[in-house]
Amino acid sequence: MILKSLREEVLEANLELVRRGLVLYTFGNASGISRGDSLVVIKPSGVPYEVMKPEELVVVDLDGKVVEGKLRPSSDLPTHLVLYKAFAGIGGVAHTHSRFATAWAQAQREIPCFGTTHADYFHDSVPVTKPLTPKAIRSDYEVNTGHAIVRRFVKLDPLHMPGVLVAGHAPFCWGATPTEAAHAAVVIEEIAALAMHTLTANPKARAISKHLHDKHFLRKHGGSAYYGQKK
Amino acid sequence: MILKSLREEVLEANLELVRRGLVLYTFGNASGISRGDSLVVIKPSGVPYEVMKPEELVVVDLDGKVVEGKLRPSSDLPTHLVLYKAFAGIGGVAHTHSRFATAWAQAQREIPCFGTTHADYFHDSVPVTKPLTPKAIRSDYEVNTGHAIVRRFVKLDPLHMPGVLVAGHAPFCWGATPTEAAHAAVVIEEIAALAMHTLTANPKARAISKHLHDKHFLRKHGGSAYYGQKK
Amino acid sequence: MILKSLREEVLEANLELVRRGLVLYTFGNASGISRGDSLVVIKPSGVPYEVMKPEELVVVDLDGKVVEGKLRPSSDLPTHLVLYKAFAGIGGVAHTHSRFATAWAQAQREIPCFGTTHADYFHDSVPVTKPLTPKAIRSDYEVNTGHAIVRRFVKLDPLHMPGVLVAGHAPFCWGATPTEAAHAAVVIEEIAALAMHTLTANPKARAISKHLHDKHFLRKHGGSAYYGQKK
Amino acid sequence: MILKSLREEVLEANLELVRRGLVLYTFGNASGISRGDSLVVIKPSGVPYEVMKPEELVVVDLDGKVVEGKLRPSSDLPTHLVLYKAFAGIGGVAHTHSRFATAWAQAQREIPCFGTTHADYFHDSVPVTKPLTPKAIRSDYEVNTGHAIVRRFVKLDPLHMPGVLVAGHAPFCWGATPTEAAHAAVVIEEIAALAMHTLTANPKARAISKHLHDKHFLRKHGGSAYYGQKK
């Protein structure tokens, strides 16, 4: 069995999505990449999480060809592969249909940055992709979903914006590792819930200032970060 | 004891409704049919789930006559029987008062298909029945509830639309087996919650395109499905 | 120790409120009456539920004088006593600050009967009391809270309407026994949540017809009830 | 190890925030002060709660200098210190990003007192700070957050108002002890949720009368309190 430790981390990232209540039945998947081997480890399609073992995960190359594993990979694999190819700095991808983030994706509205919880992780509004054309839906749908995400990020840095809402679908998140990708999926759900309730309390709520946004983002990211323990 | 394995599956379907938080006290019931025997197994009325045993389930014929069992069947049995008689392809029925699906039923509004979670399971908006007339309420109320559902499905395929909202009441769901019926009851609740929050995030949210809807439904259903493992 | 079995039932009713998530810290209380002895058993004030024992409950007479018990009774005792004196048919009272029912009480709006879950238990909208006058708040506040409830029930049958929303405060519920009172407190919370979400799905939602309301209420109550097992 | 018993109480206060579901990952912190020693015990920054031990908490003086402990203190420490210096009567501070209270902070709206649950703890609307100026954000941000809170309390008694919403951020709460501070953080979340749902049920809901507000507050606070057991 190759990539044992990556398999274990990817499995653990999948289980984190379940533990945090982001996943109903099999509505979610996480993957990780070994950049050195150009190989991706991903959850198999439609298999219950509770019984999943590291050896059941599927190893594929960047064209999606199965290199090791007896089961079909997640049907969202082509989207993951597009993201790994376009975003050189990421090491993991997580996709869920978590309740509040999915509601914003369905509403086809960006999540405004109403507060510091958001600013700690996302360096702007959480973006939404444009809807796919009928043609892009008809063939290579999952690949085209990835392209829609990449197009939305032409002017954005994926390491400063660890997730996106796919219009009419749900969030895709990522990070330097599968663990961080799952973490981003948990956080995007919390941000989405906070923003929803903020609008209920005040339909005219406004985003926080760019100053406050930068302050919080840079407390946790970059050279002058001072959150957490020294490494 | 007849129909041992169907009894066990029906009990398990009832317990799934409880485990997923869809049922308060005894507000729900699931049943299954043996098409070969023309016999239906259903939960007894008003008995707590925690202590229920397979032998306490009630076996009835398609006229509702008890064939085996000491307890009264669920008071919603006549609705289940109408569905089994009208929808030849179904093998199980599940009814709950789950919170969000019931809210839509009470709101007497169809659930628009705002996203792919919905499209994966329901091949159009989730339909609502018409309210019953005073006469239909007065006598044979539960039978008439079934008829109202069947009337709503004159132009719909129950296998492409595994549930309905009964106006002013709650959802009824179904599937090829009792297990699938319970699964549909879980999914309809999630879809209902997502749609509710979608409207909060964007009161003018619109349904996804027919192209995207078809794509997702057909990823999981019919001859060209490619979700899950090969069977 | 007198009234051992009533103490146990009242303790169990209090714990049911906790188990169902209706009570934060000590924000709730349940009591029961022995009509033969004209004695009431109630939770002590401000004592955590987790460690409460039957012998710590307080026994009082109908004037509120402690007959047995070392602890102060719940500060809401005078409200309970007014209800026992005014509503001859009740044997238990339960009071919580459960989230959705309290929100309706704070909104000072009756809960319309939007569906059959409501109709199964309450034979009309859930009523709200009138706010107390400054004078009624100043002295004998808890007694006057009870009087406000009783005034609201001049034309209502408390056995067909097992609870009320006290304006700006929270629900009080009751039943033939402490067990039934706690059950009503659980159900009123569910009804309140369903009604809230119904308004979100359709701000113009309307109450169900009187025919459907009567049908469901009378399936479970009175001489022609047919829900549950024969007794 | 100094301040052993305060360390244990502060750890327990931090864990209470987790147990009550107020904290996702490490988004929260509680501290306590020894007034006699002029020393503050606080949670370390970015360390998971599940594995935290009393000896890992950090002891600092009122200038924020670490007196005992190997880990960095919470990045919100300077805010806590400003509060301890300004509010002589408090012995503990708790900060969370709990969902509903944070939504109100993000909405930058005071929480009106819609009912007695609120009145039992807060002797007026829950206040919101003014947004910080760009300059106050740029340098000494956490200190200036504390100053914004203190400015908001010029005319308020912190012992009658055990918490505040920091605009665009989240609640800070306090009390006579770390235990009471955590308790206030739990209660402010419940009050925030109740108020949010109250507005959903009735967008024109109004605050309760000053008479009722005073009655409930004074049932629990001050010389004529009669809630709970005699002490």
Side-chain angles (χ1 to χ4, degrees):
Chain A
M1 185 172 77
I2 60 174
L3 298 175
K4 180 160 181 294
S5 110
L6 182 59
R7 282 169 180 275
E8 284 167 359
E9 187 181 352
V10 170
L11 176 55
E12 186 54 30
N14 275 288
L15 295 179
E16 173 72 353
L17 303 179
V18 177
R19 272 195 301 265
R20 299 287 174 171
L22 306 187
V23 163
L24 182 67
Y25 294 126
T26 60
F27 303 179
N29 43 71
S31 69
I33 189 168
S34 165
R35 290 282 177 191
D37 302 299
S38 293
L39 292 177
V40 168
V41 174
I42 193 165
K43 177 181 161 296
S45 181
V47 171
Y49 294 86
E50 302 84 53
V51 299
M52 208 180 289
K53 292 171 189 161
E55 57 266 32
E56 289 171 333
L57 299 189
V58 189
V59 181
V60 299
D61 66 20
L62 283 167
D63 297 323
K65 206 187 132 195
V66 175
V67 171
E68 193 174 78
K70 292 175 184 161
L71 297 168
R72 278 188 194 176
S74 165
S75 57
D76 293 309
L77 170 64
T79 312
H80 292 237
L81 295 178
V82 171
L83 297 178
Y84 286 123
K85 284 185 263 193
F87 300 160
I90 70 172
V93 172
H95 168 55
T96 80
H97 289 206
S98 69
R99 204 169 266 188
F100 286 100
T102 300
W104 282 94
Q106 294 193 158
Q108 308 201 14
R109 282 189 63 179
E110 299 197 350
I111 307 178
C113 180
F114 288 132
T116 62
T117 319
H118 181 132
D120 282 337
Y121 287 90
F122 288 81
H123 204 174
D124 206 335
S125 302
V126 178
V128 183
T129 62
K130 287 200 179 161
L132 296 183
T133 62
K135 192 182 156 200
I137 290 167
R138 207 157 38 233
S139 60
D140 292 328
Y141 165 66
E142 292 82 4
V143 171
N144 291 327
T145 296
H147 289 323
I149 296 172
V150 173
R151 275 197 303 274
R152 186 66 189 77
F153 273 70
V154 166
K155 297 179 185 170
L156 297 173
D157 178 348
L159 293 182
H160 285 187
M161 189 68 84
V164 69
L165 305 173
V166 174
H169 187 160
F172 278 83
C173 296
W174 48 77
T177 62
T179 306
E180 286 191 17
H183 189 88
V186 175
V187 168
I188 207 173
E189 174 64 5
E190 190 65 21
I191 288 169
L194 289 173
M196 189 87 68
H197 296 325
T198 299
L199 285 181
T200 299
N202 183 359
K204 295 178 180 171
R206 291 197 303 181
I208 58 173
S209 73
K210 184 78 178 111
H211 296 98
L212 184 55
H213 200 143
D214 283 350
K215 177 70 188 180
H216 266 264
F217 189 79
L218 299 171
R219 284 210 312 180
K220 290 189 116 172
H221 302 266
S224 35
Y226 58 94
Y227 182 91
Q229 301 302 320
K230 279 175 211 154
K231 287 170 187 176
Chain B
M1 184 171 79
I2 60 174
L3 297 175
K4 181 160 181 294
S5 111
L6 182 58
R7 282 169 179 275
E8 285 167 359
E9 187 180 353
V10 170
L11 176 56
E12 187 55 29
N14 275 287
L15 295 179
E16 173 72 355
L17 303 179
V18 176
R19 272 195 302 264
R20 298 287 173 171
L22 306 187
V23 163
L24 182 67
Y25 293 125
T26 59
F27 304 179
N29 42 71
S31 70
I33 190 168
S34 165
R35 290 283 175 190
D37 302 299
S38 293
L39 293 177
V40 168
V41 174
I42 193 166
K43 176 180 162 295
S45 181
V47 171
Y49 294 87
E50 303 83 56
V51 298
M52 208 181 290
K53 291 171 189 161
E55 57 266 32
E56 288 172 333
L57 298 190
V58 188
V59 181
V60 299
D61 66 21
L62 283 167
D63 297 322
K65 208 188 131 194
V66 175
V67 171
E68 194 175 75
K70 290 174 186 163
L71 297 167
R72 278 189 194 175
S74 164
S75 57
D76 292 309
L77 170 65
T79 313
H80 291 238
L81 295 179
V82 171
L83 297 178
Y84 285 123
K85 285 186 261 191
F87 300 161
I90 70 173
V93 172
H95 167 54
T96 80
H97 288 205
S98 69
R99 204 169 264 188
F100 286 99
T102 300
W104 283 95
Q106 294 193 157
Q108 307 201 14
R109 282 189 64 181
E110 300 197 350
I111 307 178
C113 180
F114 288 131
T116 61
T117 319
H118 181 132
D120 282 337
Y121 286 90
F122 288 82
H123 204 174
D124 205 337
S125 302
V126 177
V128 184
T129 61
K130 288 199 178 161
L132 296 184
T133 61
K135 193 183 156 198
I137 290 167
R138 209 158 36 235
S139 60
D140 292 327
Y141 165 66
E142 291 83 4
V143 171
N144 291 328
T145 296
H147 289 323
I149 296 172
V150 174
R151 275 197 303 274
R152 186 66 189 76
F153 273 70
V154 166
K155 296 181 186 170
L156 297 173
D157 178 347
L159 294 181
H160 285 187
M161 189 68 83
V164 69
L165 304 173
V166 174
H169 187 161
F172 279 82
C173 296
W174 47 78
T177 61
T179 305
E180 287 191 17
H183 189 88
V186 175
V187 168
I188 207 173
E189 175 64 6
E190 190 65 22
I191 288 170
L194 289 172
M196 189 88 66
H197 297 324
T198 300
L199 284 181
T200 299
N202 184 359
K204 294 178 180 172
R206 291 197 303 180
I208 59 173
S209 73
K210 184 77 178 115
H211 295 99
L212 183 55
H213 199 144
D214 284 350
K215 178 69 187 181
H216 266 265
F217 190 78
L218 299 172
R219 284 210 311 180
K220 289 188 118 173
H221 301 266
S224 34
Y226 57 95
Y227 182 90
Q229 302 301 322
K230 279 176 208 150
K231 286 170 186 175
Chain C
M1 186 172 78
I2 60 174
L3 297 175
K4 182 162 180 291
S5 112
L6 182 59
R7 282 169 180 276
E8 286 167 358
E9 187 180 353
V10 170
L11 175 57
E12 186 54 29
N14 275 286
L15 295 178
E16 172 72 355
L17 303 179
V18 177
R19 272 195 302 263
R20 298 288 174 170
L22 306 187
V23 163
L24 182 68
Y25 293 126
T26 60
F27 303 179
N29 42 71
S31 69
I33 189 167
S34 164
R35 291 282 175 188
D37 301 300
S38 293
L39 293 176
V40 168
V41 174
I42 193 165
K43 177 181 161 296
S45 182
V47 171
Y49 294 87
E50 303 82 57
V51 299
M52 207 181 289
K53 291 171 190 162
E55 56 267 32
E56 288 172 332
L57 299 190
V58 188
V59 181
V60 299
D61 67 19
L62 283 167
D63 297 322
K65 209 190 130 194
V66 174
V67 171
E68 195 176 74
K70 292 173 185 164
L71 298 167
R72 277 189 195 175
S74 165
S75 57
D76 292 310
L77 170 64
T79 313
H80 291 237
L81 295 179
V82 171
L83 297 178
Y84 286 123
K85 284 186 263 194
F87 300 160
I90 70 173
V93 172
H95 168 54
T96 81
H97 289 205
S98 69
R99 204 169 266 189
F100 287 99
T102 300
W104 283 94
Q106 294 193 159
Q108 307 201 16
R109 281 189 64 180
E110 300 197 349
I111 307 178
C113 180
F114 288 132
T116 61
T117 319
H118 181 132
D120 282 339
Y121 286 89
F122 287 81
H123 204 174
D124 206 336
S125 303
V126 178
V128 183
T129 61
K130 288 197 178 161
L132 296 184
T133 63
K135 193 183 156 199
I137 290 167
R138 209 157 36 234
S139 60
D140 291 328
Y141 165 66
E142 292 82 3
V143 170
N144 291 328
T145 297
H147 289 324
I149 296 172
V150 172
R151 274 197 302 276
R152 185 66 189 78
F153 274 70
V154 166
K155 296 181 184 170
L156 297 173
D157 177 349
L159 293 181
H160 285 186
M161 188 69 83
V164 69
L165 305 173
V166 174
H169 187 158
F172 278 83
C173 296
W174 47 77
T177 62
T179 306
E180 286 191 16
H183 189 88
V186 175
V187 168
I188 206 173
E189 174 64 5
E190 189 66 23
I191 288 170
L194 289 172
M196 189 88 67
H197 297 323
T198 300
L199 285 180
T200 299
N202 183 0
K204 295 178 179 171
R206 291 196 303 180
I208 58 173
S209 72
K210 184 79 177 113
H211 296 99
L212 183 56
H213 199 145
D214 284 350
K215 178 68 188 182
H216 266 265
F217 190 79
L218 300 171
R219 283 211 311 183
K220 288 188 118 174
H221 301 266
S224 35
Y226 57 94
Y227 182 90
Q229 301 302 321
K230 278 175 208 152
K231 287 171 186 173
Chain D
M1 186 172 78
I2 60 175
L3 298 175
K4 180 161 182 291
S5 112
L6 182 59
R7 282 170 180 276
E8 285 167 358
E9 187 180 354
V10 170
L11 176 56
E12 186 55 29
N14 275 286
L15 295 178
E16 173 72 354
L17 302 179
V18 177
R19 271 194 302 264
R20 298 287 173 171
L22 306 187
V23 164
L24 182 67
Y25 294 127
T26 59
F27 304 179
N29 42 71
S31 69
I33 189 168
S34 165
R35 290 283 175 188
D37 302 299
S38 292
L39 293 176
V40 167
V41 174
I42 193 165
K43 178 181 160 296
S45 182
V47 171
Y49 295 85
E50 303 82 56
V51 299
M52 206 181 290
K53 290 171 191 163
E55 56 266 32
E56 288 171 333
L57 299 190
V58 188
V59 181
V60 299
D61 66 19
L62 282 167
D63 297 323
K65 207 188 131 195
V66 174
V67 172
E68 194 175 77
K70 292 174 185 163
L71 298 168
R72 277 189 195 175
S74 165
S75 57
D76 293 310
L77 170 65
T79 313
H80 291 237
L81 295 178
V82 171
L83 297 178
Y84 286 123
K85 285 185 262 193
F87 300 160
I90 70 171
V93 172
H95 167 55
T96 80
H97 289 205
S98 69
R99 204 169 267 188
F100 286 99
T102 300
W104 282 94
Q106 294 193 157
Q108 307 201 15
R109 281 189 65 180
E110 300 197 350
I111 307 178
C113 180
F114 288 132
T116 61
T117 319
H118 182 132
D120 282 338
Y121 287 89
F122 288 82
H123 204 174
D124 206 336
S125 302
V126 178
V128 184
T129 61
K130 287 198 179 163
L132 296 183
T133 63
K135 192 182 157 200
I137 290 167
R138 208 156 38 234
S139 61
D140 292 328
Y141 165 67
E142 292 83 3
V143 171
N144 291 327
T145 297
H147 289 323
I149 296 172
V150 173
R151 275 197 302 276
R152 186 65 189 78
F153 273 70
V154 167
K155 296 179 185 171
L156 297 173
D157 177 348
L159 294 180
H160 285 187
M161 189 69 83
V164 69
L165 304 173
V166 174
H169 187 160
F172 278 82
C173 296
W174 47 76
T177 62
T179 306
E180 285 191 17
H183 189 87
V186 175
V187 168
I188 206 173
E189 174 65 4
E190 189 66 20
I191 287 169
L194 289 173
M196 189 88 67
H197 296 323
T198 299
L199 285 180
T200 300
N202 184 359
K204 296 178 179 170
R206 292 197 303 181
I208 58 173
S209 73
K210 184 79 177 113
H211 296 98
L212 183 55
H213 200 144
D214 284 350
K215 178 69 189 182
H216 266 264
F217 190 79
L218 300 172
R219 284 211 310 182
K220 290 189 117 174
H221 301 267
S224 35
Y226 57 94
Y227 181 90
Q229 301 302 322
K230 279 175 210 154
K231 287 171 185 175

